[in-house]
Amino acid sequence: MSRRFTAALLAAACCAALPAAAQPVAERPAFIPSPLQSSGYDASIPTPEQILGHQLGQRITPTAAVHRYFEALQAAAPDRMRIGQYGQTHEGRPLLWSVIGSPENIARIDQIQAAAQALADPRRTDAARAQALMADQPAIVWLAHSVHGNEISPAESAMAIARHLLASPDDPRVQAILDNTLVFILPTQNPDGRERFIASYAAAAGIRIDPDPLSAERAERWPTGRFNSALFDLNRDWFAQTQPETRGHSALLRSWSPHVVVDAHEMGTDDTFFFPPEAEPHNPLLPPRQMETRAVIGRNTGQWFDRLGLDYFTREVYDAFYPGYGDAWPSYLGAVSMTYEQGSARGLAARRSSGDILTYPETIQGHFTAALSTLEAAARERARLLSDHWAHSREAVARTGGWLLPRDAADPGAADRLAELMALQGVEVSRASGAACGQSMPQGGYAIAEGQPMGPLARVLFDRSIALRPGFLEEQERRRALGLDAQIYDVTAWSLPLAFNTPVIDCRALPTGERLEPGRRRIGAVTGPTDSPAWIVSAGTQAFRFMTAALDAGLRVRSPEAGFTLDGRPYPAGSMIVTRGGNPDDVDATIARLAAETGADVTAVGDTWVTEGPSFGSDRSPVLKAARVALAWDDGTSPTAAGSVRHVLEREYGWPVTVVAVRNLARADLSGFDAVILPDGGYGGLGEVGLANLRGFTERGGVLVAMAGAAEAIADPKARLLAARLEGAAAENAEDDDEAADTPPPGDLLADEDAYLTRVRGTDRELDQVAGAFLGARVDRDHWLAAGVPEHISILYGGAAVFHPLTLEDGVNVVRFEGPNDLLEAGQLWSENRAQLAYKPAVMAQPLGDGWIVAFAQDPTLRGFLRGQDGLLLNALFRGPVR
């Protein structure tokens, strides 16, 4: 970027009335002017100043004002633009979409959508009809902006793009775009986060724009504007589908089946602009034709950036491996889907480490340029895009076989929830029963055929064998040997059957059955005599969901910690029991309602005579407590970790929690709570007083649940809480003698390169970070914490933390990782980490005074899609207080 252009843009940002200063530099191509340009546009299309009261780039426009501008554009050009709402945020803000096209295309927009749906499903469209439809069908381009609320320039760019398309009637390139594409613009995917950022910025802003990196304008308060109101990273929620913003967006996108999708982001201030081709690794399930078209579009964008003197980079940092992003999930629907990343001013101006000033208008210019270039390429490549998309759809429906999800006896509810999640994101799921693929399914189950439009998505979410390319791994090993970070951007495993801890069976001949309706949860029922003295829900996910609902309804619930047999039928540990005695007179009706709402299969029994295992009145079948739960919040916790714990408890299990700021945990009277949860985080701010307060709470009978970084914090010997210690060089070296640590190694001869690498790495080098892999773990079924939990579970492991096992004197390692040969279930795990993690604890339970510490080595609620450890968490909260 030239200093002259930078200075002009900064002047435009800093001064309220400088329309002339916003003019493009000399010889700027007409097709891509400055987004601040005031002249040369159709005067009938309102300018941002007329609606917003300021030029783009002079202020950070609030979401409501962004929407107001789009409404004004639609009112000015109703023949070329439509707007609508695809959902509502947790805080009640609308989620807006708009579409722009030629008058002819907007007039037949319903016909275009019907054709898009027909071309997405070749089972209902023969080749001849498809060719006829494609001859007259525009390419559908999807521009989605600001999924992270503090990535602010994409939303401003969205306004500039919409205005440019509507107010440039004499530009032949714009006319070609309108004739050959339908342009969808989603200006703000995360309105709640954007408003949080704007409030933080405004609270610190002074009389002049301050570009200093230390300025409080950019020092966002916890949890920052990146996340939505529930503290979820919406860009990692696409297959988890936990948030209303994602569910609404994905449903809208599926209804149009776009050919090109752009997810517009911001990155660090020192960065320039990124667009594809992506860095390695690439997911091997992505079609080569998609990758080729991304490169074609990228080449066009590179040429425009060159003409305008804008810096950019490709093939670095941002890979195409993880399918859970907004630029990845649509790929498996056949879209050429890409992330665009602009270096961020995180305000109106920021000083880079080079000393240059990056202004807000410059960041708007980057996205504006990339978007127009993408639209130009899409219009030119219309035939190719439609043909490739049709080929993707044909190949998808031509696949055979699929998967069975049996309602496994150990946890039938896990299969229900996984099937519901797949249906929610558009995958066709059918109910199955009896026998299929040589498997008996007495409790029924679900079938998912791979030969369907959403089959590629199902495959990438179910397949645990998706691996990094060997050559890429060799390069990572070389980098590790030199002490360099691995070039892996996110987790390397995400298999949903492992995440839900439920079996899946590859099947060549799938049964047919009733289609599972998206958005509908399974309705449970009560079977057995109407005058029953007791009701039982067999263990697993359905039992835990029934438990929280029953406790919330005021019912008295028992749950045995060992299996038992009644009337010849065995029931597992962790089953939920409601007896008529001790409960309200209308308990029958309440149980019937709860069964329907939670999907639980409830068995009414004729008597309570147990022939094996603990009787209903045994102290091994305790009455569970309607626990009052405190959740650590605010500074010291990871926002997404706190958000995901709260989501699992409140949204998945309907159990409210009280969020308590970490700073208040230090001195607060916690006696009103039964359990305190410390989600992943740092907790340095607790100090000795805070740790002592938590220790006192636990000793008096409370349950302290610590996850990931919190478990590491309470394992510090100074905390005097968790007896387990961290392994590794960092932990061991803390006890080394300082003088010995400063002693240089003796001289020796380096025989070869391996000897050199050994010397430069050091003998006490810490384990390398693991990006995220599923590891197998064994559960101690004899422990109360494991009641209702299967014997084997999968844990998504990231980082490098390894704990020494608790001794029998201190507590129990309730869940431990498998041995080295059985440890890795999916993803990439470095050999050193594999060796050191084998047999080490994953979940620990330690008594302390009259209470308990339950420590999870990893976050069991990560991103809201890990369901396999729910039972351990719920047992800690509801069973722990009555131990």
Side-chain angles (χ1 to χ4, degrees):
M1 178 71 68
S2 70
R3 291 187 178 274
R4 181 160 63 107
F5 191 37
T6 298
L9 288 170
L10 184 56
C14 295
C15 305
L18 280 179
Q23 294 301 311
V25 297
E27 300 180 3
R28 178 174 299 281
F31 174 56
I32 302 183
S34 162
L36 313 181
Q37 182 167 312
S38 299
S39 61
Y41 279 134
D42 182 349
S44 68
I45 302 300
T47 67
E49 300 97 302
Q50 290 171 324
I51 305 301
L52 307 177
H54 63 268
Q55 278 189 344
L56 295 182
Q58 288 183 337
R59 293 180 54 193
I60 306 167
T61 310
T63 302
V66 174
H67 290 182
R68 190 166 66 249
Y69 185 62
F70 273 81
E71 290 164 356
L73 292 177
Q74 195 268 344
D79 61 328
R80 287 168 286 158
M81 182 177 182
R82 291 190 183 179
I83 62 175
Q85 184 174 330
Y86 65 89
Q88 183 173 286
T89 70
H90 284 296
E91 296 180 12
R93 293 185 175 89
L95 295 161
L96 183 79
W97 63 266
S98 65
V99 60
I100 296 173
S102 67
E104 295 77 15
N105 283 338
I106 293 299
R108 64 185 186 104
I109 194 167
D110 293 339
Q111 175 188 336
I112 292 172
Q113 183 177 27
Q117 293 172 345
L119 289 168
D121 191 352
R123 297 172 302 181
R124 301 179 178 88
T125 309
D126 61 29
R129 181 172 180 238
Q131 292 301 321
L133 290 174
M134 286 190 287
D136 194 34
Q137 183 78 346
I140 299 172
V141 183
W142 205 266
L143 305 178
H145 301 83
S146 295
V147 70
H148 296 137
N150 59 1
E151 296 176 3
I152 48 178
S153 64
E156 308 283 341
S157 172
M159 293 187 281
I161 295 162
R163 178 197 179 205
H164 185 75
L165 294 177
L166 294 172
S168 306
D170 299 326
D171 191 316
R173 284 190 174 97
V174 171
Q175 192 58 51
I177 289 170
L178 297 181
D179 288 343
N180 290 284
T181 72
L182 267 184
V183 183
F184 280 81
I185 301 176
L186 282 64
T188 51
Q189 298 179 73
N190 183 3
D192 294 349
R194 184 176 181 86
E195 296 311 301
R196 188 186 305 122
F197 174 82
I198 291 175
S200 173
Y201 183 85
I207 61 172
R208 293 183 181 177
I209 297 170
D210 188 349
D212 195 282
L214 293 178
S215 169
E217 294 176 8
R218 271 166 298 287
E220 295 181 72
R221 296 187 293 268
W222 190 98
T224 80
R226 177 181 179 88
F227 314 110
N228 77 337
S229 180
L231 306 193
F232 270 70
D233 185 335
L234 295 176
N235 194 40
R236 287 160 174 82
D237 191 51
W238 276 79
F239 66 69
Q241 296 276 307
T242 66
Q243 300 303 299
E245 296 92 338
T246 316
R247 291 194 294 269
H249 189 173
S250 64
L252 179 69
L253 189 146
R254 292 196 316 270
S255 73
W256 283 95
S257 197
H259 305 97
V260 176
V261 173
V262 170
D263 200 22
H265 290 256
E266 288 185 338
M267 52 185 167
T269 298
D270 277 346
D271 295 312
T272 58
F273 198 101
F274 169 85
F275 48 82
E278 293 89 351
E280 281 203 82
H282 298 166
N283 195 301
L285 298 183
L286 287 173
R289 67 175 74 89
Q290 274 191 21
M291 308 306 290
E292 293 166 3
T293 306
R294 293 182 197 200
V296 169
I297 294 174
R299 188 72 184 92
N300 192 69
T301 303
Q303 291 171 348
W304 277 107
F305 270 58
D306 284 346
R307 293 186 202 182
L308 300 178
L310 304 177
D311 293 330
Y312 68 91
F313 65 96
T314 65
R315 299 169 291 100
E316 296 178 56
V317 183
Y318 302 102
D319 61 39
F321 193 68
Y322 180 61
Y325 297 130
D327 75 314
W329 188 91
S331 299
Y332 300 93
L333 281 63
V336 177
S337 190
M338 303 169 289
T339 190
Y340 288 178
E341 296 271 356
Q342 164 68 57
S344 178
R346 283 294 190 274
L348 298 183
R351 182 181 298 114
R352 287 173 157 159
S353 59
S354 64
D356 291 339
I357 302 297
L358 176 67
T359 69
Y360 195 29
E362 284 180 276
T363 63
I364 299 169
Q365 174 77 49
H367 275 302
F368 180 72
T369 301
L372 290 182
S373 169
T374 300
L375 293 172
E376 178 188 48
R380 186 173 62 236
E381 301 290 337
R382 183 196 70 83
R384 173 181 182 162
L385 289 167
L386 267 67
S387 176
D388 285 355
H389 197 285
W390 170 246
H392 172 91
S393 300
R394 286 201 329 270
E395 292 166 4
V397 302
R399 294 185 180 274
T400 59
W403 305 271
L404 282 178
L405 292 175
R407 299 187 76 241
D408 183 59
D411 189 0
D416 296 333
R417 296 172 81 175
L418 178 51
E420 290 160 3
L421 173 58
M422 298 305 290
L424 184 63
Q425 52 195 311
V427 177
E428 296 170 4
V429 181
S430 299
R431 300 186 188 277
S433 60
C437 283
Q439 302 289 326
S440 175
M441 295 191 296
Q443 299 195 61
Y446 304 90
I448 299 175
E450 189 171 358
Q452 59 166 300
M454 300 292 285
L457 179 66
R459 186 183 178 201
V460 77
L461 297 183
F462 274 36
D463 194 340
R464 67 167 71 179
S465 63
I466 298 171
L468 301 169
R469 185 176 64 82
F472 175 80
L473 281 177
E474 291 172 4
E475 171 62 12
Q476 305 318 300
E477 293 291 358
R478 185 192 70 83
R479 293 177 60 84
R480 291 201 312 124
L482 295 173
L484 301 174
D485 292 336
Q487 297 167 311
I488 300 175
Y489 193 75
D490 209 290
V491 300
T492 61
W494 51 81
S495 170
L496 290 184
L498 292 178
F500 280 68
N501 207 54
T502 191
V504 61
I505 302 164
D506 288 337
C507 187
R508 294 299 94 192
L510 287 167
T512 58
E514 175 193 0
R515 180 88 167 267
L516 189 64
E517 185 179 340
R520 288 285 301 275
R521 282 190 163 179
R522 183 178 186 274
I523 298 175
V526 181
T527 58
T530 57
D531 58 347
S532 173
W535 296 263
I536 304 173
V537 181
S538 189
T541 302
Q542 63 170 1
F544 286 115
R545 291 181 70 185
F546 179 87
M547 173 197 73
T548 54
L551 291 174
D552 192 47
L555 298 186
R556 191 167 180 262
V557 181
R558 288 184 175 273
S559 183
E561 294 169 359
F564 64 96
T565 301
L566 188 150
D567 197 22
R569 175 179 171 180
Y571 293 89
S575 295
M576 301 297 163
I577 299 169
V578 178
T579 58
R580 188 176 295 277
N583 276 301
D585 293 341
D586 63 349
V587 63
D588 308 67
T590 301
I591 287 176
R593 174 177 61 82
L594 296 180
E597 292 174 355
T598 64
D601 298 314
V602 182
T603 302
V605 296
D607 60 54
T608 63
W609 186 257
V610 173
T611 56
E612 292 183 42
S615 298
F616 288 5
S618 167
D619 60 2
R620 296 173 62 207
S621 185
V623 176
L624 302 181
K625 188 168 187 179
R628 187 176 176 200
V629 179
L631 173 65
W633 201 252
D634 213 325
D635 285 333
T637 69
S638 159
T640 54
S644 63
V645 173
R646 191 177 194 181
H647 169 84
V648 167
L649 293 176
E650 293 194 341
R651 303 284 177 175
E652 296 293 337
Y653 290 94
W655 196 260
V657 301
T658 299
V659 295
V660 180
V662 172
R663 62 182 178 275
N664 291 332
L665 288 177
R667 300 183 183 277
D669 179 4
L670 300 174
S671 60
F673 296 101
D674 300 293
V676 173
I677 302 175
L678 304 180
D680 187 17
Y683 295 95
L686 270 177
E688 292 184 12
V689 174
L691 293 169
N693 198 28
L694 291 175
R695 189 163 55 251
F697 162 77
T698 309
E699 290 173 339
R700 291 188 295 272
V703 177
L704 179 64
V705 179
M707 301 173 175
E712 297 176 36
I714 67 169
D716 188 318
K718 296 177 183 177
R720 295 169 52 213
L721 284 165
L722 185 63
R725 298 289 176 257
L726 281 170
E727 294 185 2
E732 303 296 344
N733 287 346
E735 303 173 6
D736 287 351
D737 181 85
D738 290 339
E739 182 177 346
D742 292 334
T743 302
D748 58 7
L749 299 177
L750 300 179
D752 53 27
E753 187 172 0
D754 288 342
Y756 162 76
L757 292 174
T758 299
R759 171 52 54 86
V760 299
R761 284 169 63 101
T763 56
D764 290 329
R765 185 171 180 269
E766 295 184 25
L767 293 173
D768 284 327
Q769 297 287 311
V770 175
F774 272 113
L775 308 184
R778 187 69 52 184
V779 178
D780 181 353
R781 299 292 302 281
D782 293 327
H783 196 273
W784 60 265
L785 190 65
V789 178
E791 184 177 3
H792 177 93
I793 62 174
S794 300
I795 293 174
L796 188 60
Y797 178 91
V802 181
F803 286 88
H804 285 289
L806 287 171
T807 66
L808 292 177
E809 181 181 358
D810 291 323
V812 177
N813 306 295
V814 181
V815 183
R816 62 172 175 80
F817 291 115
E818 296 280 15
N821 295 330
D822 302 314
L823 183 61
L824 182 62
E825 295 189 331
Q828 175 61 30
L829 181 67
W830 311 121
S831 58
E832 300 91 337
N833 300 71
R834 181 196 298 247
Q836 194 162 339
L837 277 166
Y839 306 114
K840 299 298 171 55
V843 183
M844 296 165 277
Q846 173 191 312
L848 184 65
D850 292 332
W852 288 90
I853 295 174
V854 177
F856 291 81
Q858 298 288 305
D859 183 351
T861 66
L862 182 74
R863 298 182 184 173
F865 78 91
L866 299 179
R867 299 270 63 86
Q869 298 178 73
D870 286 359
L872 294 162
L873 174 59
L874 293 168
N875 278 337
L877 301 180
F878 295 94
R879 200 180 293 272
V882 300
R883 292 295 305 172

